[in-house]
Amino acid sequence: MPTRRAVTGRSREPRARFAEELRLLRTARGDSLRQLGERLGWDWSLFGKMEKGETIGGPEVVQALDTHYGTPGLLLALWELAVSDQTQFKERYRRYMALEAEATSLWHFAVSVLPGLLQTPGYAREVLAAGGIKGELLDQQVQARMGRRELLVGNAPPPFRTILSEAVLRTLLRDADEWRRQLEYLGEVGERDNVTLHVLPFSAGPYGLDSTALMFLRLPDGRTVAYTENAYRGDLIEENRPVDRLQRAYDEVRDLALSPAESRKFVLSLLEEVPCDPLT
C-alpha cells in the first residue's frame, strides 16, 4: 500500500494551509498555472487566486484537483475547514481532519450518528441542518462531506472498520426515501473489500463506549491516535496509554457486535421495514 501524504506540520490557519498545499502540489508536478487550467478545464487565474488565498473555490474544482494530484479526500478535507468560520473549529479538530486525510487505516464506533465517510447526501443534509447550518454553507458542507467519501475508494484505499450501535440505525430520517437510500448505501459499501461493517445490537447489553463516538487513525509513522466525540465536545488523544485503554474498550465492543455477514442481514431487514410511497 502506498504511503499516504502527510498534511501536518505547516500552516495552522485553515485558509492559509489550503492555499499552501495547492502551491506545493502544483510545483511538485512542475506545472504552470496555465498548464493546470488547460488540463482541468478551468480558467488558470482561478488556481492563481486559490494559491494566493484570495478565494477557496468550490467543491467541484477541489475534487478535480484531488483527482489530478492523486490525493483522494485530502484537499477536500482542507477545503471543508477553510470554507467554514474558523471559530467553528477548535485546534484539536483541525488537527484531526488533517490526520484523517493521511491515515493508512481507520476504525470507528458510532453511538448515535453514522460516520461522515458513510453518509449519503440526504443523511448529511439532515444531520448538518439539525446542527444549525443553513443556506449556501449547508450546500457546501454537504458537497464537501460527499467528497471526503473518496477517501474510501480509488486505488489502494485505506481499510475502514466501523461498529454501528443499533441506536444509529433506529434513528430514522424524516424523509423515508432518503432513509431508504442511506440503508441501501450501507448495504453497498459494506461489500467493499476495504470496508468492514458491524452492528452492535441492543441485545448486547451495556458496554464501555455507550456515550462516546470514537475514531482511531493509524498514521504513516506507525502511531495510532484516537478522536472521541460527544454532544458537547471532541478530543484528539495522542498519548499511548489512553489510546491503548480506548482500543481495549473498542475490542470488547467488537466482540459483542454482530459479524459482518449478520450485520449486512440486519441492515437489509431494516430496509424492508421502510414504508414505500404508494405512488411509486
Side-chain angles (χ1 to χ4, degrees):
M1 179 181 295
T3 302
R4 295 182 67 79
R5 177 178 173 85
V7 299
T8 56
R10 293 191 285 275
S11 300
R12 290 291 188 176
E13 292 302 319
R15 292 180 71 98
R17 179 69 191 85
F18 178 62
E20 183 179 11
E21 189 67 26
L22 292 175
R23 290 193 301 272
L24 290 170
L25 287 168
R26 180 179 59 80
T27 55
R29 281 287 188 94
D31 291 340
S32 69
L33 289 170
R34 288 185 183 275
Q35 289 173 326
L36 184 62
E38 291 171 358
R39 288 169 182 167
L40 296 186
W42 269 276
D43 190 320
W44 67 270
S45 64
L46 171 63
F47 298 115
K49 292 177 181 178
M50 291 171 71
E51 291 185 11
K52 292 178 183 178
E54 296 175 3
T55 182
I56 59 173
E60 298 88 355
V61 67
V62 178
Q63 188 164 5
L65 287 166
D66 257 334
T67 300
H68 177 69
Y69 292 127
T71 54
L74 184 152
L75 293 176
L76 274 164
L78 296 176
W79 178 88
E80 187 173 1
L81 291 176
V83 77
S84 302
D85 186 346
Q86 294 179 14
T87 60
Q88 296 181 27
F89 293 93
K90 295 182 179 179
E91 183 59 34
R92 288 188 178 184
Y93 185 65
R94 295 179 188 174
R95 178 163 168 75
Y96 163 75
M97 290 283 287
L99 293 175
E100 180 188 83
E102 68 176 277
T104 59
S105 63
L106 311 88
W107 54 107
H108 170 268
F109 174 67
V111 67
S112 60
V113 177
L114 285 169
L117 293 174
L118 299 183
Q119 293 179 8
T120 60
Y123 188 98
R125 179 172 296 277
E126 192 161 317
V127 169
L128 290 167
I133 301 176
K134 302 177 182 178
E136 183 180 356
L137 180 57
L138 177 59
D139 294 335
Q140 292 175 334
Q141 291 281 347
V142 170
Q143 291 184 63
R145 184 161 293 187
M146 294 307 97
R148 286 174 57 200
R149 297 194 311 185
E150 296 299 312
L151 182 69
L152 300 182
V153 299
N155 295 325
F160 176 64
R161 179 187 299 274
T162 185
I163 304 172
L164 308 177
S165 166
E166 184 175 341
V168 175
L169 300 174
R170 295 294 183 184
T171 306
L172 283 61
L173 296 180
R174 296 183 178 89
D175 187 319
D177 289 337
E178 292 295 349
W179 181 236
R180 183 181 299 105
R181 293 187 187 98
Q182 177 63 74
L183 292 176
E184 289 173 343
Y185 183 70
L186 285 180
E188 294 168 7
V189 77
E191 294 186 317
R192 295 179 187 169
D193 292 339
N194 65 307
V195 176
T196 304
L197 188 150
H198 299 273
V199 173
L200 180 69
F202 288 143
S203 60
Y207 54 93
L209 297 175
D210 58 357
S211 62
T212 304
L214 176 63
M215 177 76 90
F216 292 100
L217 307 174
R218 177 68 54 80
L219 304 179
D221 62 8
R223 292 185 302 123
T224 296
V225 301
Y227 186 78
T228 61
E229 191 171 40
N230 57 35
Y232 302 101
R233 60 176 295 171
D235 284 302
L236 180 65
I237 302 170
E238 302 185 69
E239 298 81 7
N240 289 337
R241 185 170 295 179
V243 170
D244 288 343
R245 286 200 301 268
L246 286 170
Q247 283 190 287
R248 288 195 294 271
Y250 183 89
D251 289 343
E252 292 172 359
V253 170
R254 187 176 61 184
D255 291 342
L256 296 170
L258 301 178
S259 69
E262 293 171 329
S263 297
R264 176 173 168 74
K265 290 179 182 178
F266 187 95
V267 172
L268 294 178
S269 72
L270 294 179
L271 185 57
E272 294 176 356
E273 297 174 8
V274 180
C276 294
D277 188 337
L279 299 179
T280 60

